[in-house]
């Protein structure tokens, strides 16, 4: 594992100047995240390139993750599971422009993404009466829900559109929940976590891969590396004394390859809270708010490159120094250095508002 000096030297030697697409300059909107304020209220916060608040939008309850339109202008922040609200923010105009809710018999899981042309938004949702996961499909002019796609399993937490613009990778946690029993997990002895691949245009389930050897590793987060492999992060629902891998890599048609770093998993509290890919596609980050660590892997070799220790750290976004990481103390880290501090607590995720360019 390399130290900070070696890390920065390697980043410079790699000639990663294209990350200037995310350069933090001026007062343009650069990042968005949910925050709990010191008075206990909740907000969506848009940050400029220097990490300062550009503006905030008050939320009725905790927010979770944000879907960003392909042009970076519109951000949709979803309620934390099992919430039903979503707010639409024009980040350049600096104001909320719409809000919508899931149907009465669905709730959001907190994640979503736009289609390539920005005309449709897809949100992970729970059909809690039928115990099945779906992607709600919303038209982005009226924000009307026009349909849904079955994810092929229970508990789709995060879903991402892969680089082909058509295939959706879904992290199905496999854990059944119901809003009448908030945060309770109703099927742990029988849970079946999986990664599924869904055709965005037809709604067809293209493939699904389970983890039979780690039946209680709930797959919650997913990100695509620059080489097209899909990385997953899980939250273990078994005994606290078990030693299990929490991060894996999957290539369609093959078995999931779990990443073996047992000593470092011990510091992750059986819980991966977010996954992210660096701008150049060569690094993968996994965070653990329960463990207070971020692990950064080489996407090609699966080697652990470095770790960051920060209490209650969870949010991840690509940055010019690999990754930003936000934590529950109100701090944001850039690589291994603290970047900014704000009053309050950052919630689980932070999203970059500028399109990333890979080399």
């Amino acid at each position: 594992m390399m130290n900070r000096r070696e890390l920065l030297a390697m980043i410079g030697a790699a000639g990663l100047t294209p990350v200037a697409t995310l350069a933090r300059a001026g007062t343009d909107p650069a990042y968005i995240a949910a925050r709990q304020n010191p008075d206990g209220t909740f907000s969506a916060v848009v940050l400029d390139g220097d990490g300062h608040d550009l503006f905030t939008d008050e939320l009725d309850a905790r927010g979770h993750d944000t879907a960003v339109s392909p042009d970076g202008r519109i951000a949709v922040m979803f309620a934390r599971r099992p919430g039903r609200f979503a707010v639409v923010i024009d980040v350049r105009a600096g104001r909320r422009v719409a809000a919508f809710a899931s149907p009465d018999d669905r709730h959001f899981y907190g994640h979503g993404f736009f289609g390539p042309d920005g005309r449709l938004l897809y949100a992970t949702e729970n059909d809690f009466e039928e115990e099945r996961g779906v992607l709600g499909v919303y038209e982005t002019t009226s924000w009307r829900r026009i349909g849904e796609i079955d994810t092929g399993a229970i508990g789709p937490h995060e879903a991402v559109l892969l680089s082909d613009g058509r295939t959706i990778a879904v992290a199905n946690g496999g854990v059944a929940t119901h809003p009448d029993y908030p945060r309770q997990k109703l099927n742990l002895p029988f849970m079946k976590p999986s990664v599924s691949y869904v055709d965005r245009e037809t709604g067809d389930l293209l493939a699904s891969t389970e983890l039979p050897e780690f039946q209680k590793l709930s797959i919650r987060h997913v990100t695509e590396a620059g080489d097209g492999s899909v990385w997953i992060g899980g939250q273990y629902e078994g005994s606290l004394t078990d030693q299990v891998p929490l991060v894996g890599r999957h290539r369609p048609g093959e078995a999931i390859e779990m990443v073996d770093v047992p000593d470092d998993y011990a510091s992750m509290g059986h819980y991966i809270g977010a996954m992210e890919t660096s701008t150049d596609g060569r690094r993968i980050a996994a965070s653990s708010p329960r463990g207070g660590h971020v692990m950064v892997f080489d996407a090609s070799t699966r080697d652990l490159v470095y770790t960051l220790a920060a209490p209650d750290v969870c949010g991840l976004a690509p940055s010019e120094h690999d990754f930003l990481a936000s934590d529950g103390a109100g701090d944001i880290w850039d690589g291994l250095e603290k970047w900014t501090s704000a009053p309050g607590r950052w919630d689980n995720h932070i999203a970059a508002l500028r399109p990333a360019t890979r080399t």
Side-chain angles (χ1 to χ4, degrees):
M1 190 184 310
M2 63 181 62
N3 59 34
R4 174 181 172 278
R5 178 174 297 177
E6 293 168 336
L7 167 67
L8 296 178
M10 192 180 75
I11 291 173
L16 301 183
T17 51
V19 297
T21 55
L22 295 174
R24 304 193 305 266
T27 58
D28 290 341
Y31 298 97
I32 182 171
R35 187 168 70 198
Q36 183 177 19
N37 303 309
D39 63 1
T41 59
F42 303 96
S43 297
V45 183
V46 174
L47 303 171
D48 67 14
D50 295 320
H52 302 138
D53 290 7
L54 270 182
F55 63 92
T56 64
D57 184 86
E58 186 174 349
L59 303 175
D60 292 337
R62 286 181 67 178
H64 196 69
D65 196 18
T66 308
V68 179
S69 63
D71 63 3
R73 182 181 187 94
I74 300 297
V76 177
M77 180 169 286
F78 296 98
R80 177 176 182 255
R81 174 180 67 87
R84 295 186 52 240
F85 71 82
V87 297
V88 183
I89 297 172
D90 184 326
V91 299
R92 296 178 193 169
R95 60 186 177 87
R96 181 192 295 200
V97 293
F100 60 95
S102 65
D104 291 342
D105 57 353
R106 306 282 190 275
H107 69 69
F108 292 127
Y109 273 114
H111 290 266
F113 61 89
F114 282 79
D117 59 9
R119 292 188 298 174
L120 297 176
L121 173 78
Y122 302 80
T124 54
E125 298 177 356
N126 185 12
D127 176 358
F128 44 84
E129 297 296 351
E130 299 297 329
E131 287 194 353
R132 71 186 184 105
V134 300
L135 294 168
V137 184
Y138 295 81
E139 189 275 321
T140 60
T141 301
S142 65
W143 302 103
R144 180 172 60 89
R145 194 176 190 273
I146 61 173
E148 65 183 26
I149 298 172
D150 199 312
T151 70
I154 292 173
H157 189 69
E158 184 170 27
V160 297
L161 183 63
L162 300 185
S163 52
D164 65 6
R166 181 159 176 168
T167 305
I168 303 167
V170 187
N172 292 301
V175 179
T177 60
H178 193 287
D180 289 347
Y181 310 96
R183 316 300 294 179
Q184 290 191 29
K185 299 162 184 174
L186 305 176
N187 68 332
L188 293 185
F190 314 105
M191 56 182 285
K192 291 184 178 179
S194 67
V195 178
S196 63
Y197 298 90
V198 180
D199 188 309
R200 184 182 61 84
E201 296 184 5
T202 67
D204 292 341
L205 180 64
L206 303 174
S208 181
T209 302
E210 297 182 358
L211 279 171
E213 68 273 39
F214 303 109
Q215 178 260 334
K216 289 192 175 181
L217 182 64
S218 178
I219 301 173
R220 300 294 183 91
H221 293 99
V222 60
T223 189
E224 182 186 20
D227 62 3
S229 61
V230 172
W231 284 66
I232 60 169
Q235 298 170 10
Y236 187 61
E237 302 293 348
S239 170
L240 293 176
T241 60
D242 291 346
Q243 294 185 358
V244 294
L246 301 173
V247 173
R249 183 178 67 179
H250 185 235
R251 302 180 191 277
E254 301 178 4
I256 296 174
E257 306 168 294
M258 300 307 293
V259 177
D260 184 25
V261 285
D263 292 341
D264 293 275
Y265 285 136
S267 67
M268 302 298 274
H270 281 175
Y271 191 102
I272 298 298
M275 300 285 292
E276 186 57 86
T277 302
S278 61
T279 303
D280 66 357
R282 300 173 186 169
R283 298 272 180 87
I284 302 294
S287 66
S288 172
R290 293 188 181 178
H293 281 83
V294 173
M295 297 189 296
V296 176
F297 298 94
D298 184 300
S300 176
T301 65
R302 291 187 291 160
D303 291 337
L304 181 65
V305 181
Y306 66 94
T307 63
L308 164 71
D312 199 21
V313 64
C314 191
L316 294 170
S319 81
E320 59 185 302
H321 295 152
D322 257 12
F323 297 97
L324 288 191
S326 55
D327 67 33
D331 298 324
I332 299 179
W333 302 76
D334 191 351
L336 294 171
E337 293 188 337
K338 191 178 295 185
W339 180 40
T340 65
S341 296
R345 301 164 51 90
W346 293 111
D347 222 305
N348 292 64
H349 297 281
I350 184 170
L353 291 169
R354 301 175 190 175
T357 300
R358 290 179 179 167
T359 60

